[in-house]
Amino acid sequence: MTRVLKVGFIPLTDAAPLVIAQEIGFAAEENIALDFLRVPSWSAMRDYLMLGHIDVAHMLAPIPVANSLGLGSVEGDLDVLAALNLSGNAITVSCDVAREMRAAGYRFDFADAMAAGRALIGLGRQLRIGVPFPFSMHAELLYYWLEALGLAAPQALSVRTVPPPLMAEALAQGEIDAFCVGEPWGSLAVENGHGTLLLPTSAIWNTAIEKVVAARRGWAEADPERAGGLLRALWKAGRWLDQPEKRGTAAEILARPDYLDLPVGLVERALRGDFVTSPHGDIRHADRFVTFHDGAANFPWRSQAAWMGMRIAKRLGLDRRESIAAAKAVFRTDLYRAHLRGIRADLPSASEKVEGTLDHPTAVPSETGRVILAADRFFDGSVFDPMA
Amino acid sequence: MQGKLSILVVESDPDRARQIVDGLSGGDAFAISVVSESSGLARHVAERQPDVVLIDVESPSRDSLEDLAIASGPLDRPVAMFVDRSDDTLTKSAVEAGVSAYVVDGLQAHRIRPILDAAISRFNVFKRMRTELETTKRALEERKVIDRAKGILMKARGLSEEEAYGLLRKTAMDSGRRVSDVAESLVTAAGLLS
């Protein structure tokens, strides 16, 4: 019997694992079918999930964390079942800002977070930057990046929520100087002549968790076959997606009217890492712009939950220790392990790690031998120990 | 604070906005203002300081209002999505109708309830109208395509109107498709061949 799951998604490139699981047949292999609902906003996504309108959600990783800190709406807990992808966002500056930065001698390399951040701060004015949601890696990485370079937040930095479809307009109207958002919105702004790509967020932290698949607490336990099928289908879809030769096909499928409804060429940029970065037609490549599988990318590291909990607590003046504990409890490494053991997925022995210590892909102990983790450096070389 | 409640309606369609305001203004109990969606929504809300903000669930601008939930300035009033914990069905029917309400911290549920009830019934009307409109539009379009397909068959095969429709219907039944789908394929194919 095929189990039908109602899945909420936002039309972004990183909805790919869900879409591919359904379209390439990984879901069918697990006797599940994904019934997609395009959701208009992240707050609606959270509420639909809480109220049972959808079974699982394509969700910004910090939303379930914020929810566990009491920063949600409807009462109740969410579980993060797995990570869908690492990185996949880009920072775009307005044409005016780009002109000023160029005049000051900055060369848009789309790679060096240190140089890009210094050039931005060098403009010497309060920076207003749009993000898609107050609890998002977009917001956390922006604060982290610019604070590490000496900018005094919040005085010199105003991070505000602007719905992605309105970002380009806000940029053109001068309401914001820059925005950080998931692809293809950055490329769309470049295409329409409204902005210039400054930096992929992978340059700030190259293993930053981005979207997760989330469910109401208790949903996964209520029908383990259904939850297991979903996790296995997503894992296989991620592995498929991280084969470079599949990325073109993935773009074709994602571009369809049912999903992103955009020209394939635009969707393909993020998947291949080949960007047109300015309306003048500059071209840059970003290695590992978005990762769906490699380096145990789907494992819901509790240390990454802890990092988000710590950052939100710091920003909003909440108790740091309590916030970290609450955040970790949301990341269900137990469920992930239980459901993926059967298909030879690489499962690290530890559920958390010190973030920011690996310069190169590194082998660490796994349940069955060894698993290769990706380099996980922060751009400024700092280290986050979730136990400290 | 038992004065008039101020309500901000976020709605870009002036016609819908007027209907929501009409639905709410019974007894003049509220001070109502309307803004159409824009990227500066959060700023509007900060300036007007409404007690209640009503917004369509379908609006992507909803996320901008979430910013206000963590507003931390001395003059900011925390705002949260309204959830009646004593009455879960109210929240559910609001979401189903497609309306969300953001309210300032501390406003009692019994003062919000009539507002939300009125908004829900308006939004349900909108939803019904939208469905009706779409159904009618689709039916009209299908009929147009079927008429064109009939015309093509009549001309090409010398059939009467009734015979042409019969052929379309038989083909549809034999291939397990809808008459309008068969008609559309025929119209497309005829267009390619002409």
Side-chain angles (χ1 to χ4, degrees), chain A residues 121-144:
Chain A
I121 292 169
L123 296 173
R125 59 157 176 257
Q126 207 218 22
L127 295 169
R128 301 156 305 162
I129 308 185
V131 295
F133 200 69
F135 304 111
S136 58
M137 286 302 281
H138 314 71
E140 299 311 335
L141 289 172
L142 280 173
Y143 283 120
Y144 178 82

Side-chain angles (χ1 to χ4, degrees), chain A residues 9 28 36 38 42 58 65 72 86 95 97 114 126 143 178 191 240 245 284 290 292 318 381:
Chain A
F9 81 104
F36 288 105
R38 183 198 291 243
W42 293 111
H58 169 220
V65 170
L86 307 179
C95 296
V97 168
M114 201 77 88
Q126 207 218 22
Y143 283 120
E191 207 56 22
W240 185 92
E245 71 276 14
R284 301 279 184 275
V290 58
F292 295 106
L318 309 174

Side-chain angles (χ1 to χ4, degrees), chain A residues 28-50:
Chain A
E29 278 176 26
E30 299 288 341
N31 284 320
I32 58 169
L34 308 184
D35 179 15
F36 288 105
L37 176 71
R38 183 198 291 243
V39 176
S41 67
W42 293 111
S43 39
M45 183 78 84
R46 177 199 58 203
D47 299 342
Y48 285 175
L49 191 57
M50 283 295 203

